[in-house]
Amino acid sequence: MKTFNKDPNFSIVLPGGCNAACSFCFNKDVNKGVKTIPIADYIKSLDKTLKSLPEQFYQISITGGEPLLSPYVIPVLSLISTMKDKFTNIIITTNGTNLKGMIEYVSMAVDHINISRHHFDEKMNKDIFKGSYNVTDDDLIEIIDLYSKKGIDVSLNCVINNTTEKKFIDNYISYAQSMGFQAVRFRKENGTLDKTPVELEFADYKILWEGSCPVCRTTLQNI
């Protein structure tokens, strides 16, 4: 296998549904019509694939659906935990569901947790997620405390669009700081690379660092 990226990422999209129904989610139909693979066969195939990856692959990203609701998640985390010498940066993206109950399994494999949260107001965030999603601010505070004790940092991921205003960005960052999150990443809705109006408002800010997102490979900036 060859890769032309010096810093490649291997993404594991776990089979299974999600307890949310975000209108902008490009993964919401990911498992429709997909034939279910027996867990033992899935793990055997994943094990073979991971062991065959070139040395440049040191990072794994785990997503879904909602990965912590997938019946495959515990076997996958258990498998990855045996490969920590090969994969030194393991990221899981989740809406926060089951993070408290799954701490034993998540902490043995994962280095970084990326929680999707699309509004700083608890009620408005829940309205965006819809479904049976019900992660509260108190839950998030407890999650940060539990995982920080395990040496795992927790960050936020927020989807923005053409209606997002700078005031929202400022308020969201203040919210994240008050809660104790390590970082915030703002991502545009899937489908366009054109700059949103709020991005243009930040155009004159000094760029401290620029690179590419290790997962989706789009431009990533710290300003």
Side-chain angles (χ1 to χ4, degrees):
M1 182 187 293
K2 293 183 179 180
T3 174
F4 295 100
N5 193 307
K6 66 179 181 180
D7 190 29
N9 169 78
F10 185 83
S11 291
I12 300 173
V13 182
L14 290 179
C18 184
N19 59 339
C22 303
S23 61
F24 48 76
C25 182
F26 64 90
N27 265 352
K28 58 188 172 184
D29 296 324
V30 70
N31 291 306
K32 287 186 176 179
V34 175
K35 184 178 179 180
T36 301
I37 303 171
I39 292 178
D41 293 345
Y42 183 93
I43 296 301
K44 183 179 179 179
S45 177
L46 180 61
D47 179 50
K48 181 179 179 180
T49 299
L50 291 176
K51 288 177 178 176
S52 70
L53 291 175
E55 290 183 3
Q56 301 103 300
F57 283 86
Y58 69 91
Q59 177 170 286
I60 293 176
S61 299
I62 304 169
T63 63
E66 169 45 52
L68 294 181
L69 291 177
S70 171
Y72 297 74
V73 66
I74 292 177
V76 167
L77 291 174
S78 298
L79 172 64
I80 293 173
S81 70
T82 67
M83 301 182 178
K84 294 290 283 182
D85 289 340
K86 179 176 175 62
F87 301 103
T88 57
N89 194 39
I90 314 298
I91 304 166
I92 189 166
T93 298
T94 169
N95 63 31
T97 300
N98 276 356
L99 270 175
K100 290 189 288 184
M102 293 282 288
I103 187 169
E104 175 186 352
Y105 299 101
V106 174
S107 62
M108 71 181 178
V110 171
D111 301 296
H112 308 284
I113 297 171
N114 186 29
I115 296 181
S116 297
R117 168 90 180 201
H118 305 304
H119 204 288
F120 51 83
D121 180 85
E122 191 173 285
K123 182 181 183 305
M124 295 186 74
N125 180 68
K126 188 174 179 180
D127 288 343
I128 293 170
F129 273 97
K130 302 182 180 69
S132 60
Y133 165 89
N134 192 31
V135 179
T136 67
D137 283 351
D138 287 342
D139 290 330
L140 294 176
I141 291 171
E142 186 176 354
I143 286 167
I144 293 170
D145 179 62
L146 287 171
Y147 281 92
S148 65
K149 291 175 180 176
K150 297 284 188 179
I152 301 171
D153 65 271
V154 186
S155 63
L156 284 177
N157 167 55
C158 177
V159 172
I160 62 173
N161 56 35
N162 285 331
T163 68
T164 304
E165 298 178 351
K166 185 177 182 299
K167 183 178 180 180
F168 174 87
I169 301 291
D170 294 337
N171 288 337
Y172 192 102
I173 291 173
S174 295
Y175 162 81
Q177 288 176 323
S178 70
M179 294 284 284
F181 287 98
Q182 293 296 307
V184 173
R185 294 172 180 84
F186 295 100
R187 302 176 185 270
K188 289 185 288 189
E189 287 188 9
N190 186 49
T192 179
L193 294 178
D194 296 335
K195 288 188 179 298
T196 60
V198 74
E199 284 182 272
L200 295 176
E201 289 196 52
F202 287 96
D204 294 333
Y205 279 60
K206 181 180 180 181
I207 298 174
L208 303 178
W209 176 86
E210 183 175 69
S212 63
C213 172
V215 179
C216 63
R217 295 303 172 193
T218 52
T219 300
L220 183 65
Q221 291 180 334
N222 286 346
I223 60 173

